[in-house]
Amino acid sequence: MNSMPTMTKNLLIVNFLAFIATWVLEMRGVDLTSLLGLHFFLASDFRLYQFVTYMFLHGSLTHIFFNMFALWMFGSVIERVWGPKKFLFYYICCGIGAGFVQELVQYASYMYEGIAAYQYVNAGGVQMSTDAYINLWTTIGASGAVYAILLAFGMIFPNERLFIIPFPFPIKAKWLVLGYIAIELFSAMSGPGDGVAHMAHLGGMLFGFLLIRYWQKHPDSSQRFGRSRGQEFFDNMKRRYDERRNTNNMRAEHTDTRRETDAEYNARKRQNQEEIDAILDKIRKSGYDSLSKEEKKKLFDQSRES
């Protein structure tokens, strides 16, 4: 199996190092969450750089484990398709977008509740200033960016079947993404209190959707990132398949004799194309080195004939 893509591996390393640093420095009296977590923009300790740094911090082992597992599972695939530069740009932009949406939601809640409501905390009649209260709002975690990666997988491979616990049957990626969106919306509407930034998750997916749609409508705009070898390979194979498919269709349409031979010819070509598609899918999932000698030879022969 191919090694993990570079950018995905580096993101995993940075996140785990930040988690360890948070734990070690906390024992020494240094609170990284307070310094690098994303605070409400009206708070006295809000800084612009927190829109980036917050996504590399996590509050618990469970928190970082599930985020990094999803990043490894889906990010590896997306990076192989897009290449490292485009993948990192998407990851960071969606993480920033998730933080921006979270800030908007907090501001809306702040204005709706009324400033006076934040001057008191219902805990034994203890009074707290507005500034002290909003300083308590801190967002951390890579979930917004990770949810955006999940969305990208669902949009690029909508019919890919995934086994997700606790379901004993495979689920198509597009239904999995829609299910997560529904769950996050329901959780957000149920009200605060669970300590999870559900709107940040949705915000990451929203920015991811807008970015992917923009790239789809303006394909030239993403050329500055360069193209991964996998993307170039898939594009070339797709172009050759399309050309050959058009040639086969023209041959079938303009041939009035030897119908049986043409039918056999087209059936053989369809079977060959299905086999090549399966090989390409295997490359996408596990890399070129996962192919057997026979599969590599078939792919080589196919490219030489095209």
Side-chain angles (χ1 to χ4, degrees), residues 163-180:
F163 282 94
I164 303 296
I165 298 175
F167 301 105
F169 51 85
I171 301 175
K172 289 186 177 181
K174 59 183 178 182
W175 302 127
L176 177 66
V177 170
L178 289 175
Y180 270 111

Side-chain angles (χ1 to χ4, degrees), residues 28-267:
R28 298 178 177 270
V30 179
D31 189 357
L32 277 187
T33 299
S34 180
L35 294 172
L36 305 179
L38 179 60
H39 296 274
F40 184 42
F41 70 92
L42 292 179
S44 60
D45 49 2
F46 168 76
R47 302 291 185 272
L48 277 177
Y49 63 76
Q50 294 169 354
F51 276 107
V52 176
T53 56
Y54 90 96
M55 69 182 81
F56 295 98
L57 301 178
H58 292 82
S60 67
L61 187 60
T62 302
H63 189 197
I64 190 173
F65 172 78
F66 283 107
N67 274 346
M68 295 303 99
F69 178 78
L71 174 59
W72 165 76
M73 182 175 181
F74 299 105
S76 297
V77 177
I78 299 303
E79 183 180 347
R80 286 192 178 103
V81 174
W82 282 348
K85 293 181 180 179
K86 185 175 180 179
F87 173 76
L88 180 63
F89 179 84
Y90 178 85
Y91 183 92
I92 297 297
C93 281
C94 292
I96 293 175
F100 180 74
V101 170
Q102 181 68 9
E103 291 286 307
L104 288 179
V105 171
Q106 288 179 342
Y107 181 71
S109 177
Y110 176 74
M111 296 303 295
Y112 176 78
E113 295 289 343
I115 297 178
Y118 289 90
Q119 293 178 341
Y120 298 90
V121 176
N122 187 20
V126 177
Q127 182 173 343
M128 182 179 290
S129 67
T130 303
D131 187 64
Y133 192 89
I134 60 180
N135 276 329
L136 297 177
W137 297 354
T138 306
T139 304
I140 59 173
S143 299
V146 169
Y147 269 71
I149 295 297
L150 175 62
L151 175 81
F153 186 90
M155 293 182 68
I156 298 174
F157 309 108
N159 295 316
E160 187 75 21
R161 296 180 179 273
L162 305 170
F163 282 94
I164 303 296
I165 298 175
F167 301 105
F169 51 85
I171 301 175
K172 289 186 177 181
K174 59 183 178 182
W175 302 127
L176 177 66
V177 170
L178 289 175
Y180 270 111
I181 292 175
I183 292 173
E184 291 300 318
L185 276 174
F186 176 80
S187 299
M189 295 301 178
S190 297
D194 60 356
V196 179
H198 298 289
M199 293 307 299
H201 300 173
L202 294 173
M205 298 181 88
L206 173 63
F207 271 75
F209 175 80
L210 295 176
L211 197 53
I212 292 174
R213 291 294 294 167
Y214 178 81
W215 285 336
Q216 289 175 342
K217 292 183 178 180
H218 305 86
D220 294 338
S221 65
S222 62
Q223 288 184 354
R224 64 180 180 274
F225 299 106
R227 294 197 304 169
S228 65
R229 294 180 180 179
Q231 185 66 55
E232 293 177 352
F233 182 80
F234 293 141
D235 290 345
N236 290 334
M237 292 300 293
K238 184 178 185 302
R239 176 178 54 79
R240 291 169 180 169
Y241 284 156
D242 290 342
E243 291 174 354
R244 295 186 65 191
R245 187 179 295 109
N246 292 335
T247 302
N248 293 339
N249 291 338
M250 291 176 62
R251 174 175 176 173
E253 292 174 358
H254 293 86
T255 302
D256 294 325
T257 59
R258 299 179 63 197
R259 294 182 179 179
E260 184 176 358
T261 302
D262 285 339
E264 293 175 351
Y265 174 83
N266 291 332

